[in-house]
Amino acid sequence: MSNGLRKYFANVSAYLKNQNKEYIMFSHIMVGTNDLDRAQAFYDGVLAVLGAPKGIRTTNATGQQRVFYSHNGTRFGITQPINGQPATVANGSTIGFSCESVKQAQQFYDTALALGATAIEDPPGIRQTSIGPAYLAYLRDLDGHKICVFGKVE
């Protein structure tokens, strides 16, 4: 592991230790890609809308390139598959990105489409959910991973 990545994970760990009020369920979410440069450009763009810095590119012990993002104590990664096979999407899986407002969620969605994502399902909008009204928008990233953009309705 590179020194930059060690420092990155140490900073995230320190942040998590200081979060007494809220438990973060996941250590990270990672998806595969067949074109890391293209995927990094896409996620650098859409995650900037949430305030996340550009991804940190690393190489694992077996030579695969990865990019990690950190924001508000959570981590998201994109990677070349370790087994050397083409990356594929998971049927039935969705990755949800949380936005602070409807405006930010719409900006995330618009940015994703401008960067080459594909709109899917119902048009974006406010829907009644089991936790109350929420802005929801669905798309597929450049590798076909299903993304839900979730915006808080105030």
Side-chain angles (χ1 to χ4, degrees):
M1 184 182 308
S2 71
N3 286 336
L5 192 57
R6 270 193 201 92
K7 184 177 178 182
Y8 166 79
F9 282 119
N11 288 338
V12 171
S13 294
Y15 174 85
L16 293 175
K17 287 178 185 176
N18 291 324
Q19 300 302 304
N20 296 326
K21 296 180 183 176
E22 194 172 320
Y23 174 76
I24 297 173
M25 184 182 301
F26 299 103
S27 65
H28 69 283
I29 294 173
M30 185 176 293
V31 296
T33 182
N34 294 308
D35 187 337
L36 195 66
D37 291 332
R38 182 178 73 146
Q40 182 175 6
F42 176 80
Y43 282 106
D44 279 356
V46 297
L47 296 179
V49 173
L50 302 181
K54 290 187 182 290
I56 296 173
R57 191 178 285 227
T58 66
T59 303
N60 69 4
T62 54
Q64 287 75 34
Q65 295 282 304
R66 296 173 165 186
V67 179
F68 290 96
Y69 298 87
S70 178
H71 183 61
N72 289 342
T74 61
R75 291 184 297 269
F76 178 75
I78 50 179
T79 186
Q80 296 170 326
I82 293 174
N83 65 3
Q85 299 297 312
T88 59
V89 297
N91 187 19
S93 297
T94 302
I95 300 165
F97 287 98
S98 182
C99 297
E100 295 176 354
S101 66
V102 170
K103 181 179 177 181
Q104 186 183 46
Q106 185 65 51
Q107 184 181 4
F108 183 108
Y109 181 79
D110 292 342
T111 300
L113 293 180
L115 291 169
T118 304
I120 59 171
E121 299 189 13
D122 293 333
I126 297 175
R127 299 188 181 109
Q128 192 59 35
T129 72
S130 60
I131 59 170
Y135 173 95
L136 298 174
Y138 291 90
L139 52 93
R140 292 209 181 265
D141 74 5
L142 306 180
D143 287 291
H145 300 289
K146 184 177 178 183
I147 295 174
C148 174
V149 184
F150 178 93
K152 295 177 185 174
V153 175
E154 299 294 328

